[in-house]
Amino acid sequence: MSVKRRQGSGDQKDLFDQALQASLRHGATGESGTGPGACAEPQAFTAWEQQRALTRMLMEEVASSANLNQAYRRVKANKGAAGVDAMSIADLLPWLRENRERLIVSLLDGSYQPKTVRGVEIPKPGGGTRQLGIPTVVDRLVQQAILQVLEPILDPAFSPSSFGFRPGKSAYQALFQA
């Protein structure tokens, strides 16, 4: 095995590279995305345009091949049950090979719609049941990809007294601080 391949910088493309590059090229310049666009003087962005540019930038990061590959590895490692579509974790990779470009395009153009969450009741230790929602594995992949981009941006802005659903924080730490 060559040094380049061991370091991950060889000629081997990862699962999402080609689809992301194709979707970023499509519509990028000119009207059809096939030629150079018109050269115009830069104009001041309106607040709406700035918000759309930020959203586009963040979604490009969410849809990046490195981020989606890392999300896939985490979803696979977490295992979990199938959602309403009955797709298992084992079925995800073949599905991604066929549908990755469509997934990336739908993330970038805002048309991605999560599926309905499958409801399951699980028994509570003290008796009774608790409702649990199980998203589809594709939705879990997208959720993980979004989390990986937004968490490093938003988590530092949270209150030090905030402990719920945060990395490295627990209910025990909240009780100790109280």
Side-chain angles (χ1 to χ4, degrees):
M1 182 179 289
S2 72
V3 173
K4 284 175 91 174
R5 180 135 185 210
R6 275 183 283 160
Q7 292 175 346
S9 61
D11 296 328
Q12 179 182 0
K13 294 280 185 184
D14 62 38
L15 185 60
F16 297 98
D17 266 347
Q18 295 166 336
L20 177 63
Q21 294 305 318
S23 65
L24 290 176
R25 281 193 307 269
H26 181 70
T29 59
E31 286 191 22
S32 64
T34 58
C39 184
E41 287 291 318
Q43 297 180 357
F45 283 119
T46 65
W48 175 249
E49 289 169 331
Q50 286 177 341
Q51 181 181 3
R52 289 193 68 195
L54 176 61
T55 301
R56 176 73 181 187
M57 181 188 74
L58 286 173
M59 286 311 295
E60 285 177 5
E61 198 172 328
V62 166
S64 74
S65 59
N67 189 52
L68 287 170
N69 282 319
Q70 181 180 7
Y72 170 77
R73 286 189 296 274
R74 287 188 176 170
V75 167
K76 186 177 175 187
N78 287 341
K79 300 181 181 160
V84 294
D85 62 357
M87 182 189 298
S88 69
I89 297 289
D91 298 331
L92 182 58
L93 185 58
W95 184 91
L96 286 170
R97 286 188 175 130
E98 281 190 33
N99 298 288
R100 66 179 177 247
E101 187 169 330
R102 197 170 33 208
L103 175 64
I104 289 171
V105 167
S106 70
L107 289 171
L108 292 175
D109 70 14
S111 65
Y112 179 81
Q113 292 290 315
K115 302 255 188 300
T116 304
V117 174
R118 180 169 70 108
V120 176
E121 289 193 3
I122 59 171
K124 290 168 57 174
T129 60
R130 178 171 69 95
Q131 184 73 22
L132 182 68
I134 303 173
T136 66
V137 291
V138 174
D139 289 344
R140 292 198 304 255
L141 173 82
V142 171
Q143 290 170 8
Q144 182 64 43
I146 292 169
L147 173 73
Q148 290 168 181
V149 170
L150 292 182
E151 188 175 67
I153 296 168
L154 298 176
D155 195 61
F158 291 163
S159 166
S161 300
S162 173
F163 288 87
F165 305 101
R166 292 183 60 202
K169 303 278 187 170
S170 70
Y172 297 110
Q173 291 173 326
L175 286 171
F176 182 76
Q177 182 174 326

